[in-house]
Amino acid sequence: MRQEGFTLIEMLIVVTVGAILVTLAVPSYQEHLRRARRADGKEALLRLQLEQERFRANRVSYATTVGSGGTGLALPDAVGSLRRSADGHYTVSIVSASATGYVLRADGGGSLSSGRQAHDGTCTVLQLSLSPTGESREPPICW
């Protein structure tokens, strides 16, 4: 009499191969998600840069805060001196500003962020600076 079906050894081999594939795929998938969320922070900084240039076109210096006020950008989604990125993965702020430049920061572990980017290594904090000598984006590997 012939029996049909799988033996226990065959099932264990299939489960082992599946587990190996999952352990290889999950870290790669998580890194892909981090890079996709990083785009949210970059987009928020570039949008804030555009708002800074718009603000500077009518005044003698760049805005010093994100919130409303005489020297601040009156942005509708600002909370005090902070602003959330579009998808909420970063907290965006103006670190410093003057008549000749500014420093903008997007923090993935900030108080208004979702916190999902807090484990993004060197790319948790993105920074965009403008000075008389040019523009810089830090850390360069994240841009």
Side-chain angles (χ1 to χ4, degrees):
M1 176 181 207
R2 188 173 163 183
Q3 291 182 339
E4 293 186 26
F6 299 106
T7 65
L8 181 60
I9 297 295
E10 291 171 330
M11 290 300 291
L12 287 174
I13 290 172
V14 167
V15 168
T16 303
V17 168
I20 290 170
L21 289 175
V22 166
T23 56
L24 294 175
V26 168
S28 175
Y29 177 69
Q30 288 174 335
E31 180 59 29
H32 175 72
L33 287 178
R34 278 190 211 91
R35 280 188 282 137
R37 288 189 293 249
R38 201 177 300 149
D40 179 47
K42 290 189 241 181
E43 186 269 338
L45 285 177
L46 294 173
R47 186 175 298 273
L48 190 55
Q49 180 183 31
L50 180 65
E51 292 297 327
Q52 279 283 51
E53 296 303 328
R54 188 175 294 149
F55 184 90
R56 176 71 170 89
N58 298 316
R59 294 172 179 82
V60 295
S61 67
Y62 290 103
T64 57
T65 63
V66 179
S68 61
T71 60
L73 295 173
L75 302 174
D77 55 351
V79 177
S81 63
L82 303 173
R83 178 183 185 198
R84 289 181 72 175
S85 59
D87 293 334
H89 299 300
Y90 283 85
T91 300
V92 183
S93 62
I94 299 172
V95 176
S96 63
S98 67
T100 59
Y102 51 82
V103 177
L104 310 176
R105 178 176 289 150
D107 188 355
S111 60
L112 295 179
S113 67
S114 65
R116 293 188 187 119
Q117 287 300 95
H119 304 291
D120 195 13
T122 59
C123 299
T124 300
V125 176
L126 304 173
Q127 190 163 293
L128 177 66
S129 303
L130 178 75
S131 67
T133 59
E135 179 182 286
S136 70
R137 298 174 181 197
E138 299 292 329
I141 193 169
C142 302
W143 287 84

